[in-house]
Every structure is written in C-alpha cells, then in structure tokens.
C-alpha cells in the first residue's frame, strides 16, 4: 500500500476528514485536481454543530482568530429567527468557505501533510485488499480505502457509476460576494411585488476592514443557463428592482449561478470507497447546509476508518456511516426543498404559496417553533440510530458540554478517542478493557454517566448493565 486512505478533493470535507485521520494516527494522502486552492468564498455560514466539532478538536479559536466573523441569525425560507431562542452554546458564525479551507490547509501542512495539487483522478479499481487510483500523467496510488470528497461533479461517483437520483436543476439564481453601500448590517430577504428578491448575509470584512456580503439575486426572468457570464449591470438591476436607489454595488468580487438541483447518492459506501460532502448530496445552498453537512460527514467517517485501519473496528462499523449520514442528507434535501417552495424561489408570486408563507411566518414567531427550526438548521437536531445502545434520551445525540471540574466535556475529545464520563467512579474496571480507544474522566462531576464517540455523539447512557455491550458495539473487542 502507498497509504492507508486516499482522500480525493481538498475542500472543507476532504480536509476535515484528513485531519481526523491524522488525529487517529492513520497515514493519508489528500489529492485535488486544482493546481492551487480556490480563492472563491462559496459557502458563508458555519452551523452551531460544526462550531462545536471544531471546538472539540481545538480548532475553533485559531480559526476565529483569523478575522472578524460575526454571529448571525438563522432563517428558514427567508423568514428570520433569532439564534437566542435556540440556546446553543455556540451560535452561527459567518465564516467564508475560503477562510476555512485556507485555515485547514495550513493546519494540515503544520502536521507535515501537504495537498497533492494538480492531481486529476481518471480511474480507479478496487479488490478485496484495497483501491488503486490512477491520475492523469500516469501516477497510481494504492490505498486501503478511498474517500470521494470531490464535489458535486464527482469524478469518483462517475467512475463508480453510483446512482444519484433526485431532481435536476430547473432554474438558476445569482450568488455573489460584494461590497455594498446603503445595506443594513443584518441578514435579510427582501421581495418586491413582482417576485424579484434579494438575500443578504454578512461575510465579515476584507483585508482593509470593509464589510463584505453574500448577495443572492433571483426572480422572474433571471433564470438563465449557468454558463452565461454574470455582469455588474445584471446585479445592479436586481438591486434596483428590490431596493430602488437605496442600495448600490461598490465592488463585485465573485459571482456564480446556482441551481435548484436536489440529488443524493443511493449508497454512501461502495466497498472500500466512500462518498462524502457534495459528492454524496447536492441541493440549494440555503442555510449553509451543504458545507456543514459535508464537514459532519467527514467527522462521522474519520474515526470509523481509523478503527478499521488499526484493526479494532467491529465488522459493521464502516456500514454505520451510510446508515447514519444518508438519513441526515435526506433530511437536509427535504428541508431545502420545503424552503425553496415557501420562499417562492422562482418568484412566481403564486397566491397559494404566498398564503402558506404568511401562515408559516406567523408560526415562526412562536418560541417553540424558533427552537425547532434553530435545532434543525444548526445540526443540533441530529439523532443517529444506534441499535443496541439503549433508549436513554441522550443516546444518538450530540453530547452535552458537561462541566467536569478542571475541564469541560468538549475538551476531552481533542484526543480523537472515545470518552467515558464516570461521575460516580464506578466503571474503572470495564473501561480498563479499552485503554487504547477510550479515556475515562469526570469522576466526582455533577453530570450523568455517558459514553461519547470520537465524533462527539453519545453512544451509551443510563443502564450500567448496557455499558460493556456499548463499548464493544462502537469500540470493538476489548484488548
């Protein structure tokens, strides 16, 4: 083998996964077809669950130290809701994808792993022992596992001939990074009576300290083929139709046309090949859910691949990646399609759609609805199916950040290992059977006992008689 895991695609998903592999002590190669990292912002928001995951790895503070990345309100179908109602420890942040990619690439380089740029994958073949990946120019990399994080037009997915059912794109809107004058600082979605609409989101500041915005422009007559060039006048026209002369374009930094396609691969695992991020699911970029879902795919898969490479993973551990993440991806597609309909993405001004949105907007003023939507869009509502791990309400959910005295629970996950929180000091004997995979902590703390997977999800709580079975289920046979 040339390496244990080959990751194809050096976006946020691929780099997060590679970092997880390094944390697990797994040799990895990260390859990307581009000769250099893109300077396009692409996604612009980081959800609460993703921020928690970065914090669990000790990456959040150095990431945010890179610049001014304000907290932001959420929205569902263009109807804003306050993050205060959600009550999450870490509210949403506006951090452009380009910043995250740059930060992660520097972090990997500091560990001695450098992206192999200008590596275009052209072929792959797998057998019982591994995968052979062939790149343009004749280079071949032999690996035990391969992960496709190579985006919406995934070469790996095409080579696998993987089923990618769903809805083809039928319309486009413009997404652009801009500087504006006259715009409010808050996130907003604004429509005119003819169906033209504009969405604005904060993107922090440029090196000169000037405010940057993500601008989305849509409405009747604005859907044109994706390859039609975007002009400044086209954007100015969209702003005039909605804002009149109040908001003006000062600078256009980047623009692209996005479609309402919604697709998901049928299987996230194909033998020794796994699909993650946009290679596995594509949809409208509403609520920054694409980048965040991909990062969460990587966090779910990384430690499981680590267990498989090191030989302790239970036989079906790698299969739980599909079982858990396919459900999440499908739920994201459903909520994005619901948002597209309610926000009248096409600008039809259909009276039935407007009536439904009016009713929905009234409902979102209820704190309970805001909490539900906040959990849904922040990733905090995810509950993984965990057969055999008990029925305690914590099982399958992100672990609470318990105060364990000298540390908090999230700090214990920086090792990339499992954590058994044992406030009653009752489980030393059983925990000692998994010393190379699980750390025990929290003796004397005022919290519930729980077993936390390396990705931050609770896989046991409640009945002490179930603990040993849960350890075996998620961390393999004892040493």
């Amino acid at each position: 083998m040339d390496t244990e895991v080959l990751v194809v695609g050096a976006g946020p998903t691929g780099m997060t996964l590679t970092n997880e592999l390094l944390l697990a002590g797994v040799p990895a190669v990260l390859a990307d077809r581009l000769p250099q990292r893109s300077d396009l912002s692409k996604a612009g928001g980081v959800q609460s669950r993703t921020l928690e995951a970065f914090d669990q790895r000790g990456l959040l503070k150095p990431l945010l130290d890179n610049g001014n990345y304000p907290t932001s309100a959420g929205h569902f179908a263009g109807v804003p809701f306050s993050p205060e109602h959600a009550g999450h420890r870490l509210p949403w942040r506006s951090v452009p994808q380009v910043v995250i990619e740059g930060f992660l690439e520097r972090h990997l380089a500091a560990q001695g792993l450098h992206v192999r740029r200008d590596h275009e994958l052209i072929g792959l073949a797998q057998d019982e022992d591994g995968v052979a990946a062939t790149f343009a120019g004749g280079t071949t990399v032999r690996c035990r596992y391969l992960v496709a994080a190579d985006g919406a037009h995934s070469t790996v997915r095409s080579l696998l001939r993987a089923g990618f059912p769903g809805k083809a794109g039928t319309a486009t809107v413009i997404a652009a990074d801009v500087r504006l004058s006259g715009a409010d600082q808050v996130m907003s979605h604004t429509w005119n009576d003819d169906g033209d609409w504009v969405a604005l989101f904060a993107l922090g500041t440029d090196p000169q300290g000037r405010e940057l915005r993500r601008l989305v422009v849509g409405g009747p007559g604005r859907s044109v083929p994706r390859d039609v060039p975007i002009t400044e006048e086209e954007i100015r026209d969209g702003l005039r139709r909605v804002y009149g002369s109040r908001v003006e374009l000062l600078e256009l930094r980047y623009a692209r046309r996005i479609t309402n396609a919604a697709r998901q691969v049928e299987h996230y695992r194909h033998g020794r090949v796994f699909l993650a991020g946009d290679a596995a699911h594509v949809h409208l970029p509403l609520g920054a859910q694409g980048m965040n879902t991909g990062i969460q795919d990587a966090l779910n898969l990384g430690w499981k691949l680590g267990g498989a490479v090191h030989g302790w993973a239970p036989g079906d551990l790698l299969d739980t990646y599909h079982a858990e993440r396919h459900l999440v991806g499908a739920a994201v597609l459903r909520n994005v399609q619901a948002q597209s309909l309610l926000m009248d993405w096409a600008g039809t001004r259909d009276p039935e759609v407007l009536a439904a949105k009016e009713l929905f907007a009234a409902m979102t003023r209820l704190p309970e609805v805001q909490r539900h939507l906040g959990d849904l869009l922040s990733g905090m509502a995810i509950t993984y199916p965990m057969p055999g791990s008990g029925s305690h309400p914590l099982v399958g959910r992100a672990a609470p950040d318990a105060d364990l005295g000298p540390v908090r629970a999230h700090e214990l996950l920086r090792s990339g290992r499992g954590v058994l929180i044992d406030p009653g000091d009752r489980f030393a004997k059983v925990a000692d059977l998994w010393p190379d995979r699980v750390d025990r902590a929290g003796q004397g703390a005022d919290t519930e006992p729980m077993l936390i997977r390396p990705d931050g999800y609770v896989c046991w709580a409640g009945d002490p008689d179930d603990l040993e079975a849960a350890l075996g289920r998620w961390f393999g046979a004892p040493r």
Side-chain angles (χ1 to χ4, degrees):
M1 296 291 172
D2 298 309
T3 190
E4 294 293 341
V5 181
L6 170 62
V7 181
V8 181
T13 299
M15 285 196 277
T16 299
L17 177 63
T18 304
N19 186 65
E20 291 296 294
L21 294 170
L22 295 183
L23 189 62
V26 173
V29 168
L30 175 59
D32 195 279
R33 66 177 180 82
L34 295 177
Q36 60 186 23
R37 179 165 43 85
S38 171
D39 61 357
L40 306 179
S41 70
K42 300 180 183 177
V46 186
Q47 299 170 346
S48 298
R49 180 64 198 126
T50 302
L51 292 169
E52 285 193 353
F54 284 157
D55 203 17
Q56 288 166 0
R57 297 300 188 245
L59 299 176
L60 181 59
K61 184 180 184 302
L63 170 63
L64 297 181
D65 283 347
N66 278 318
N68 173 30
Y69 308 115
T71 58
S72 62
H75 79 93
F76 192 97
V79 178
F81 56 86
S82 170
E84 297 173 0
H85 287 293
H88 303 144
R89 180 172 70 91
L90 298 170
W92 280 46
R93 290 270 186 173
S94 295
V95 187
Q97 179 175 329
V98 65
V99 172
I100 293 173
E101 289 182 0
F103 169 76
L104 290 175
E105 186 164 2
R106 291 189 297 272
H107 178 71
L108 293 174
Q111 300 175 76
L113 190 144
H114 299 274
V115 180
R116 296 189 183 182
R117 298 257 172 220
D118 206 12
H119 273 55
E120 181 181 2
L121 184 73
I122 60 173
L124 64 83
Q126 61 175 312
D127 54 35
E128 292 183 358
D129 299 318
V131 184
T134 304
F135 295 89
T139 302
T140 298
V141 175
R142 175 83 175 164
C143 55
R144 196 174 306 278
Y145 298 102
L146 183 148
V147 180
D150 53 344
H153 303 288
S154 169
T155 299
V156 175
R157 190 181 65 231
S158 297
L159 292 171
L160 290 171
R161 295 183 172 85
F164 198 39
K167 171 188 172 184
T170 58
T172 63
V173 298
I174 295 172
D177 293 354
V178 298
R179 288 196 304 113
L180 301 173
S181 67
D184 295 332
Q185 297 298 312
V186 297
M187 178 200 75
S188 66
H189 287 72
T190 309
W191 289 259
N192 69 14
D193 292 339
D194 297 325
D196 298 291
W197 59 271
V198 165
L200 288 174
F201 309 89
L203 281 180
T205 58
D206 66 9
Q208 290 74 43
R210 299 174 298 187
E211 295 286 340
L212 296 175
R213 307 296 180 84
R214 167 58 53 82
L215 166 69
V216 187
V217 181
R222 298 204 173 274
S223 179
V224 300
R226 295 184 67 180
D227 57 355
V228 174
I230 298 169
T231 66
E232 291 189 7
E233 181 52 38
E234 186 178 4
I235 292 175
R236 288 193 174 95
D237 178 70
L239 291 170
R240 279 195 300 268
R241 287 174 181 266
V242 174
Y243 294 120
S245 60
R246 180 167 63 88
V247 177
E248 294 185 356
L249 178 67
L250 297 177
E251 181 187 2
L252 173 62
R253 300 173 65 93
Y254 150 70
R256 63 176 176 143
R257 300 187 195 274
I258 55 178
T259 80
N260 58 344
R263 296 185 181 277
Q264 184 182 27
V265 290
E266 295 175 318
H267 304 286
Y268 280 29
R269 180 182 185 182
H270 292 254
R272 292 181 172 273
V273 180
F274 300 82
L275 298 159
D278 288 352
H281 41 76
V282 296
H283 50 78
L284 271 174
L286 295 175
Q289 294 181 93
M291 178 181 69
N292 287 272
T293 303
I295 289 172
Q296 294 298 324
D297 289 344
L299 292 162
N300 185 286
L301 179 58
W303 70 276
K304 296 173 182 178
L305 284 172
V309 168
H310 290 308
W312 57 256
D316 65 344
L317 184 64
L318 289 177
D319 289 331
T320 66
Y321 170 63
H322 169 86
E324 294 175 355
R325 295 307 298 172
H326 192 277
L327 287 173
V328 172
V332 169
L333 259 67
R334 287 195 298 273
N335 86 54
V336 166
Q337 289 173 310
Q339 290 188 70
S340 175
L341 175 66
L342 283 172
M343 72 182 293
D344 193 16
W345 193 78
T348 65
R349 310 310 284 168
D350 184 316
E352 294 180 349
V353 172
L354 296 179
K357 182 172 183 177
E358 182 180 356
L359 177 61
F360 173 77
M363 292 175 62
T364 62
R365 289 193 283 272
L366 299 172
E368 300 91 332
V369 175
Q370 293 215 0
R371 281 194 294 271
H372 172 74
L373 293 176
D375 284 348
L376 179 71
L377 294 178
S378 66
M380 300 303 292
I382 293 171
T383 303
Y384 289 141
M386 293 190 181
S389 291
S391 58
H392 192 281
L394 286 174
V395 171
R397 300 186 66 87
D401 190 35
D403 184 353
L404 305 179
V407 298
R408 299 196 69 88
H410 76 269
E411 297 175 271
L412 298 173
L413 290 163
R414 290 178 182 169
S415 67
R417 293 150 56 93
V419 174
L420 173 60
I421 296 179
D422 182 12
D425 200 12
R426 302 170 56 191
F427 304 119
K429 186 174 180 180
V430 66
D432 285 347
L433 299 174
W434 284 267
D436 55 329
R437 285 156 266 172
V438 178
D439 298 322
R440 188 173 69 96
Q443 294 90 322
D446 184 18
T447 187
E448 288 194 68
M450 67 188 81
L451 179 62
I452 307 173
R453 303 189 321 188
D455 60 351
Y457 284 81
V458 177
C459 58
W460 168 84
D463 191 341
D465 293 337
D466 294 336
L467 174 58
E468 189 166 350
L471 282 161
R473 170 73 184 89
W474 296 105
F475 297 98
R479 191 175 67 177

